[in-house]
Amino acid sequence: MFALLACAVAALVGAEWPRLSARFGNEARRRRDRNKRKGQLKLLRTETEEFAASVERDLDNLPTIEESDRKS
């Protein structure tokens, strides 16, 4: 009886092994560690990005010539 139970458990573990290894294996550990490291990162704005944003704001604030003004 115990041998039959052991064979059933072994068959179940063998059938579910890919799912278990994806959840608890080395690859899963690396994925969890990478997600933890990525979660601690912060986005820093560089001077170049700030300059580009200020240029875009300045261009948006420039007066424009409307089509009707151009024909006059």
Side-chain angles (χ1 to χ4, degrees):
M1 184 167 128
F2 290 114
L4 186 59
L5 180 63
C7 288
V9 169
L12 180 66
V13 169
E16 295 294 325
W17 185 252
R19 190 166 36 161
L20 291 173
S21 66
R23 180 173 285 180
F24 300 112
N26 288 334
E27 185 177 335
R29 180 177 293 118
R30 278 187 257 128
R31 191 178 325 118
R32 285 191 304 268
D33 290 343
R34 182 173 186 254
N35 288 339
K36 185 189 290 186
R37 286 192 311 269
K38 285 178 69 175
Q40 296 173 351
L41 295 177
K42 290 190 280 185
L43 177 64
L44 300 177
R45 290 186 63 131
T46 63
E47 291 180 20
T48 306
E49 290 173 343
E50 291 174 5
F51 176 73
S54 70
V55 168
E56 287 180 18
R57 278 193 309 273
D58 292 343
L59 288 174
D60 288 339
N61 292 331
L62 284 176
T64 58
I65 301 174
E66 298 296 326
E67 189 66 32
S68 61
D69 293 340
R70 194 178 300 162
K71 291 181 181 178
S72 302

